[in-house]
Amino acid sequence: MKLTVDGLSVRYGATQAIKAVDAAAHPGEFLAVIGPNGSGKSSLVKAIAGLVAHEGVVRFDGSTVRPERIGYMPQDIGARAALTVLEAVLLGRLGRLGLRVRPEDLAAVEAVLGELNLMPLASRYLGELSGGQRQLVFLAQALASEPALLLLDEPISALDIRHQLEVMEIVLRMTRARGLTTLVILHDLNIAARFADRVLVMRSGRAVCCGQPEAVIDAAMVASVFGVEATLSSDPQGRLIVTPLRALAAERAHAGRVLA
């Protein structure tokens, strides 16, 4: 599903969270959205998901009608402790469930649980799980809907480094295999550089640049957007590595280049 965002703006009362953002994502593509706290990343994803009012136009394969097949994982997850893992993931297929759970619903859920190595936890209650385990469960819930569009807001923030890599590898593999259009909000620039096809950089509610990681993530961007002095290098496979050195004074951070 091709996603196109034209002039998207979001306001909460007197606060302008997003200002005329343009963006696009394509089937089979992993688009990472990065930027400092308060830059409008979550508001962008919520507007695309139809969860907040907005100005501007969001198109799905050219249509403004929002499809049912959107998998959305929010940053703040309210876990209902009385639900088991299996029940929570089944809720991801809520639009498909009738008066009873069909065999195909169970099969789809079990497949996702297996993919994320969650089957041993299927009968456990959410309240018994760690924060990282619950995060994996709600990622499974987003994937269980068999979405054409996948929106993930910081899906690895509570995970250790091994599980961060495993989850990103799974998301990338499913994006490719299922032809998903995938938007992922990330804070780790190295994870974004490693897994994303393209990176959208946001600051102060605006999209300041978008492109392939090696074209977008450089020392000038990190300084001007994040206020951090950094060096860039490559790993043995040629993948970009960002090493932060120190926080810059506010006046130096904002004196960086203007990004188009």
Side-chain angles (χ1 to χ4, degrees), residues 79-89 118-135 137-138:
R80 296 185 178 181
L83 289 177
T84 66
V85 168
L86 180 64
E87 290 167 342
V89 178
L118 291 173
M119 277 303 295
L121 302 178
S123 61
R124 296 270 300 275
Y125 287 98
L126 293 180
E128 300 172 348
L129 305 182
S130 69
Q133 288 172 326
R134 285 197 298 272
Q135 203 162 18
V137 170
F138 285 97

Side-chain angles (χ1 to χ4, degrees), residues 77 92 108:
I77 299 169

Side-chain angles (χ1 to χ4, degrees), residues 37-98:
N37 292 338
S39 59
K41 302 183 302 295
S42 293
S43 293
L44 173 66
V45 170
K46 288 178 181 177
I48 293 170
L51 300 175
V52 296
H54 63 83
E55 297 178 352
V57 180
V58 181
R59 292 185 175 88
F60 309 88
D61 279 341
S63 172
T64 57
V65 178
R66 187 168 284 101
E68 293 183 1
R69 294 177 60 200
I70 295 179
Y72 170 63
M73 177 182 170
Q75 178 181 349
D76 299 316
I77 299 169
R80 296 185 178 181
L83 289 177
T84 66
V85 168
L86 180 64
E87 290 167 342
V89 178
L90 268 172
L91 288 178
R93 297 182 65 82
L94 191 61
R96 298 166 182 259
L97 295 176

Side-chain angles (χ1 to χ4, degrees), residues 53 104 142 175 213 220 226 237 245 249 256:
E104 55 264 38
T175 296
F226 293 92
Q237 286 74 44
L245 300 178

Side-chain angles (χ1 to χ4, degrees), residues 194 233-241:
R194 177 168 181 165
S233 58
S234 300
D235 68 10
Q237 286 74 44
R239 293 178 297 218
L240 182 66
I241 297 176

